[in-house]
Amino acid sequence: MRSRSFYVEDDPMVAEMYRLKLELDGYRVVMAKDGLEGLRLADERSPDLIFLDIRLPAMDGLEVLERLRQSERTRQVPVVILSNYSETDLRERGVKLGALDYLIKSQTTPSRLSSSVQGWLGET
């Protein structure tokens, strides 16, 4: 089995679409439905990679990312933002907070996402 990734997404249909492709390609995927759950699970389970939506219940994705970076346990976990929002200020804030990439869902197929995982993890 390959790396464990977390996907924090409040839309179950979107979450399932990406989860299915990642799992078909051999990745273990843990789902979180809101920002607080994602933060808690990341602290408990030390994922190899986190996919993070921006607009989430309980705590938005940028706040989750900020808190991940403040914690010694999760500071180095790679985070890729996967959002419907393409506003420049959101992109800039995500990158400034340490996201590896900021992807727009409508432009990111499950295959594209899955095929990029090795690069984000620094694997060949």
Side-chain angles (χ1 to χ4, degrees), residues 67-81:
R67 290 192 185 191
L68 288 168
R69 294 299 174 247
Q70 292 171 351
S71 168
E72 187 65 37
R73 185 162 168 80
T74 57
R75 180 173 293 140
Q76 300 301 319
V77 176
V79 175
V80 173
I81 295 172

Side-chain angles (χ1 to χ4, degrees):
M1 203 49 110
R2 287 181 159 176
S3 302
R4 177 183 25 224
S5 62
F6 279 31
Y7 187 20
V8 186
E9 168 65 60
D10 62 324
D11 183 329
M13 290 179 60
V14 171
E16 185 68 5
M17 176 180 70
Y18 287 109
R19 183 194 65 78
L20 264 173
K21 178 58 177 161
L22 289 164
E23 288 184 348
L24 282 171
D25 289 348
Y27 296 101
R28 292 175 289 164
V29 181
V30 175
M31 305 299 296
K33 65 186 174 309
D34 64 48
L36 286 175
E37 182 182 24
L39 198 58
R40 180 183 57 78
L41 287 171
D43 187 59
E44 290 174 0
R45 300 190 186 185
S46 301
D48 299 306
L49 177 65
I50 297 173
F51 296 107
L52 183 60
D53 191 9
I54 293 290
R55 304 284 188 227
L56 294 166
M59 179 186 300
D60 78 37
L62 292 174
E63 187 175 347
V64 170
L65 179 54
E66 193 168 9
R67 290 192 185 191
L68 288 168
R69 294 299 174 247
Q70 292 171 351
S71 168
E72 187 65 37
R73 185 162 168 80
T74 57
R75 180 173 293 140
Q76 300 301 319
V77 176
V79 175
V80 173
I81 295 172
L82 189 58
S83 177
N84 284 322
Y85 299 93
S86 60
E87 290 89 343
T88 303
D89 61 323
L90 290 176
R91 284 178 178 262
E92 288 174 354
R93 185 162 174 228
V95 170
K96 185 177 180 183
L97 290 171
L100 285 179
D101 211 339
Y102 189 112
L103 304 174
I104 307 305
K105 290 177 190 172
S106 64
Q107 301 168 4
T108 307
T109 64
S111 292
R112 177 177 175 218
L113 186 75
S114 185
S115 67
S116 299
V117 170
Q118 287 183 327
W120 288 319
L121 294 174
E123 301 171 351
T124 54

